[in-house]
Amino acid sequence: MFDADFHRDPYRVYDGLRSQGPVQMVRESSRGHHTWMVTGYAQAREALSDLRLSRDTRRFGYLFGDRRDIAPALRATMLATDPPGHTRLRRLASKAFTAAA
């Protein structure tokens, strides 16, 4: 999924991954690292609520042999924050996404 074919037609790659099961180990070709691709809805919900999995982009430095922050622009956003910071940001944001709003 990290090659030119994926960028030309990602849906074909996603279909292939889903046909093999809801969770697949994939290899990032330029560095040879492995990561997990979750394509199943139930499995994605489970992964997103599993506190053993981190959203903190600073924790991904091991992929590069160091502790660098791979996504500094995301560092303080809800997308890249673990609880309790994520919970605090979600509470603040949820007020803007009510039916009344």
Side-chain angles (χ1 to χ4, degrees):
M1 73 175 266
F2 296 98
D3 59 15
D5 286 340
F6 173 77
H7 293 286
R8 278 192 291 280
D9 185 8
Y11 303 105
R12 181 184 56 78
V13 176
Y14 291 144
D15 286 343
L17 285 168
R18 279 192 297 270
S19 72
Q20 295 174 33
V23 180
Q24 297 293 315
M25 181 182 280
V26 295
R27 187 173 69 82
E28 190 273 320
S29 59
S30 68
R31 294 185 195 214
H33 297 292
H34 289 83
T35 189
W36 293 97
M37 170 69 68
V38 180
T39 59
Y41 178 80
Q43 293 77 13
R45 286 196 53 109
E46 185 175 342
L48 289 169
S49 65
D50 190 327
L51 296 179
R52 295 173 297 172
L53 303 175
S54 176
R55 293 171 188 89
D56 186 344
T57 59
R58 292 170 293 187
R59 295 184 63 189
F60 301 133
Y62 73 92
L63 293 172
F64 306 101
D66 60 26
R67 300 302 295 173
R68 78 179 138 149
D69 188 353
I70 64 170
L74 294 177
R75 182 183 309 128
T77 70
M78 188 166 43
L79 295 174
T81 307
D82 290 329
H86 176 85
T87 307
R88 181 183 63 78
L89 292 170
R90 185 174 176 160
R91 248 188 229 117
L92 291 170
S94 67
K95 294 173 186 173
F97 294 96
T98 63

